[in-house]
Amino acid sequence: MSSTKISTSADSVEVFYRHAGPRSSPVLLLLRGFPSSSHMFRNLIHLLATECHVIAPNLPGFGFTVVLPPNGNFYVEEIEKDSWAPIQAYWAFSTSSDREAIRTAALNSHTTKWQYTFGSPHPDSIPPESFYLNVALLERPGNQDMQLDILYNYCRNVEFEVKVLAFWGKIDQIVVNEGTEAYRRDVSEERLRVEWLDAGHFALETNESEVAGLIGEFWGRLEFELALRLINKKRNGRV
């Protein structure tokens, strides 16, 4: 696996990313969520790189890319009520005390480590640098406020229908199992596939081989469907 830094044309923002696989292969983009970075894909990338050109950027506000933060994505049904109660209060009232309550409860080393280890079938096998790297990056000047801005922006999400392969840790206490029902509501059955993993929130720390195999199978099916559509277009004289 190789990794590098590039500078984008958007205000000369320097974006750190990891990538692997032939550049001539189809591109697979891996995006992560709070509080991690492309580091969470370090075990998965090389497993997928035989078939794809895998790119895992550190989006603004995460990892080694530091600029204004983006939005996040999720369904309301995914929220575990107790864990998200302070954030929902922040959405509703947007007071400074609500904001500081989240900073105290969520942006600390104990909570970050808990996200990695709780629900994992093998918590002792998770490399400690996984969560300690997140802790160190969260502590950079200004970064916590970026994370708090992102958490507030979650309430502004727009939902789209796409073809979805969803992996869910059975014992995840942050993004809970009921979230799958929201996917089933908005994504037609033929476009949705949900795979349940014996894992917690950060399943890629222990289940990366299983996930890679399922992604490879799903990817192969998408390529087949794309090839079939192109053949049909040619037959109908539209290509």
Side-chain angles (χ1 to χ4, degrees), residues 161-222:
E161 179 170 353
V162 294
K163 183 163 284 192
V164 176
L165 171 62
F167 298 100
W168 225 280
K170 296 177 182 177
I171 321 172
D172 192 342
Q173 289 297 303
I174 300 170
V175 180
V176 294
N177 296 172
E178 286 77 7
T180 59
E181 297 307 316
Y183 281 92
R184 290 192 171 96
R185 181 191 68 220
D186 290 342
V187 183
S188 56
E189 193 66 30
E190 64 271 14
R191 289 179 171 269
L192 175 65
R193 178 176 174 183
V194 178
E195 296 289 343
W196 296 95
L197 306 177
D198 185 17
H201 189 59
F202 280 97
L204 291 180
E205 294 297 321
T206 52
N207 300 66
E208 68 277 6
S209 295
E210 181 182 3
V211 170
L214 292 167
I215 290 177
E217 179 185 334
F218 189 74
W219 183 271
R221 187 177 305 153
L222 290 178

Side-chain angles (χ1 to χ4, degrees), residues 25-53:
S25 297
V27 174
L28 179 61
L29 182 66
L30 300 179
L31 304 176
R32 76 302 112 327
F34 173 83
S36 190
S37 65
S38 61
H39 182 263
M40 72 174 286
F41 297 121
R42 68 196 183 283
N43 297 325
L44 181 64
I45 290 176
H46 74 277
L47 296 173
L48 298 172
T50 57
E51 302 293 334
C52 312
H53 181 206

Side-chain angles (χ1 to χ4, degrees), residues 110-126:
H110 174 77
T111 302
T112 300
K113 180 178 179 180
W114 176 83
Q115 290 186 64
Y116 275 87
T117 57
F118 186 86
S120 171
H122 309 291
D124 294 338
S125 69
I126 297 175

Side-chain angles (χ1 to χ4, degrees), residues 13-78:
V13 174
E14 193 174 59
V15 178
F16 180 90
Y17 70 95
R18 303 169 195 267
H19 69 101
R23 292 182 181 272
S24 58
S25 297
V27 174
L28 179 61
L29 182 66
L30 300 179
L31 304 176
R32 76 302 112 327
F34 173 83
S36 190
S37 65
S38 61
H39 182 263
M40 72 174 286
F41 297 121
R42 68 196 183 283
N43 297 325
L44 181 64
I45 290 176
H46 74 277
L47 296 173
L48 298 172
T50 57
E51 302 293 334
C52 312
H53 181 206
V54 187
I55 302 174
N58 288 352
L59 293 182
F62 294 90
F64 298 104
T65 299
V66 187
V67 291
L68 292 177
N71 201 344
N73 67 289
F74 78 114
Y75 281 106
V76 172
E77 288 87 343
E78 297 176 41

Side-chain angles (χ1 to χ4, degrees), residues 83-123:
S83 298
W84 285 80
I87 298 172
Q88 290 179 297
Y90 183 34
W91 294 343
F93 306 110
S94 305
T95 68
S96 58
S97 59
D98 292 326
R99 186 178 176 94
E100 292 309 307
I102 299 169
R103 189 193 306 271
T104 301
L107 303 183
N108 60 73
S109 59
H110 174 77
T111 302
T112 300
K113 180 178 179 180
W114 176 83
Q115 290 186 64
Y116 275 87
T117 57
F118 186 86
S120 171
H122 309 291

